[in-house]
Amino acid sequence: MVWQETKKIVVVIVGAFLTALGMNLFLIPANVYSSGFTGIAQLLSKVLTEYTPLNISMGVLLLLLNIPVAFLGWKKVGKSFTIYSFLSVVLSSLFLELIPIHRMSHDILLNAVFGGVIIASGVGITLKWGASTGGLDIIAMVLSRMKDKPIGPYMLLLNGIIIITAGFLYGWEKALYTLVFLYTSTRVIDAIHTRHAKLTAFIITKNADELKKAIHKKLVRGITMLPAKGAFSNETKEMLMIVITRYELFDLERVIKEVDPHAFTNIIQTTGVYGFFRRD
């Protein structure tokens, strides 16, 4: 347990470092804007510096923006997820202050693509280990549990505001390259983790009762149990079907490995859920 939590903390540190590295070496020098709260902090920092007497760094703004979201997550989502997510934000803010801003390339396209790959790698491994980079991820969790609303339209609206504001203030070419960053980062996160908001797991196991109890102890989700029989071996087993959010995938995988490492698990995309699905 301690070793597992230690590895999770290390992953969060690496993810935060990669995020700051991509920002300070690629996006910020090229005036290409990130997505979500990171993009808002980046844009606000530049606007405040150039149009007001205030000079607040991006790292500080990122931390300030995430404080109210962390309180929301603590109340509505869960302590463990929120703690690791806020730790990721704090470390990202720290690394943004410590890593010097340095232009690695004068080609804006290379900056957008490589910045997207590096930042998305950090975000992807953080999500894969059951944490997040804060901001919209926590808001997505809250919306999912309250109203089962998809986060896509909110992400689109927020990123649209960032792109349009950047275009008006600093030229539409910068805004278009921001779209290149968004596309690149989305594809990389999809490859490392998953883009689907909800997933269905089919678990074929010999230890159905023990696994069911372990899953219920970790996740408050309904489980459907079905009889299963191997076509080749004729061996009788049971299949557990459970619908989860993408943020619960790490916990489910860990429970399965601990209880029955030989279980066969198939994770598939869930496009919609009708009927009761726990949201609070």
Side-chain angles (χ1 to χ4, degrees):
M1 184 67 178
V2 174
W3 174 237
Q4 191 76 17
E5 295 302 318
T6 303
K7 286 196 290 185
K8 192 171 181 178
I9 291 171
V10 170
V11 168
V12 169
I13 294 171
V14 172
F17 179 77
L18 289 174
T19 299
L21 199 69
M23 292 300 305
N24 283 3
L25 298 188
F26 294 98
L27 295 196
I28 292 176
N31 283 327
V32 175
Y33 291 89
S34 184
S35 59
F37 275 35
T38 307
I40 291 177
Q42 182 186 0
L43 189 60
L44 277 176
S45 177
K46 190 170 181 63
V47 169
L48 289 173
T49 301
E50 293 187 1
Y51 295 98
T52 72
L54 299 174
N55 187 5
I56 306 175
S57 69
M58 178 191 163
V60 173
L61 285 170
L62 181 62
L63 184 61
L64 292 175
L65 287 171
N66 274 279
I67 288 174
V69 177
F71 279 114
L72 180 66
W74 185 272
K75 290 184 176 181
K76 298 289 186 179
V77 176
K79 295 180 175 60
S80 178
F81 181 83
T82 304
I83 287 171
Y84 281 110
S85 299
F86 193 66
L87 175 63
S88 174
V89 171
V90 171
L91 290 170
S92 295
S93 300
L94 178 63
F95 288 136
L96 282 166
E97 297 296 317
L98 294 177
I99 298 173
I101 296 174
H102 177 71
R103 183 185 290 272
M104 296 294 290
S105 171
H106 291 279
D107 188 323
I108 190 170
L109 181 60
L110 287 177
N111 282 305
V113 171
F114 277 93
V117 170
I118 292 171
I119 291 171
S121 298
V123 173
I125 62 171
T126 304
L127 287 171
K128 195 172 181 68
W129 276 76
S132 79
T133 52
L136 282 180
D137 283 327
I138 293 178
I139 294 174
M141 287 282 285
V142 173
L143 289 173
S144 176
R145 295 191 175 195
M146 288 175 61
K147 297 184 178 180
D148 199 23
K149 294 274 187 180
I151 190 62
Y154 298 96
M155 285 289 293
L156 185 64
L157 176 62
L158 183 58
N159 291 332
I161 292 171
I162 293 170
I163 291 167
I164 291 170
T165 305
F168 272 117
L169 294 177
Y170 304 111
W172 292 106
E173 184 183 61
K174 306 292 185 184
L176 292 174
Y177 280 112
T178 297
L179 287 174
V180 174
F181 160 79
L182 290 173
Y183 177 79
T184 305
S185 60
T186 300
R187 297 292 293 178
V188 173
I189 292 172
D190 291 351
I192 295 174
H193 188 237
T194 175
R195 70 181 181 275
H196 307 306
K198 290 186 179 64
L199 305 163
T200 298
F202 295 95
I203 310 159
I204 299 175
T205 176
K206 293 180 182 178
N207 306 322
D209 289 331
E210 187 181 351
L211 187 55
K212 177 188 69 174
K213 291 175 184 176
I215 293 173
H216 276 156
K217 188 176 180 181
K218 191 70 179 177
L219 306 174
V220 187
R221 291 291 175 200
I223 300 173
T224 300
M225 299 179 67
L226 304 167
K229 187 175 183 179
F232 179 76
S233 65
N234 285 323
E235 190 175 10
T236 301
K237 298 182 181 180
E238 287 191 87
M239 182 169 70
L240 279 62
M241 186 188 77
I242 177 172
V243 181
I244 58 172
T245 66
R246 69 173 183 166
Y247 301 100
E248 295 167 318
L249 180 58
F250 172 78
D251 288 329
L252 179 64
E253 289 176 340
R254 189 168 67 174
V255 168
I256 295 170
K257 286 178 182 177
E258 288 175 355
V259 176
D260 186 3
H262 300 294
F264 176 82
T265 305
N266 182 24
I267 307 290
I268 63 172
Q269 172 192 1
T270 300
T271 56
V273 177
Y274 301 96
F276 178 72
F277 183 78
R278 183 185 180 276
R279 302 183 181 98
D280 52 22

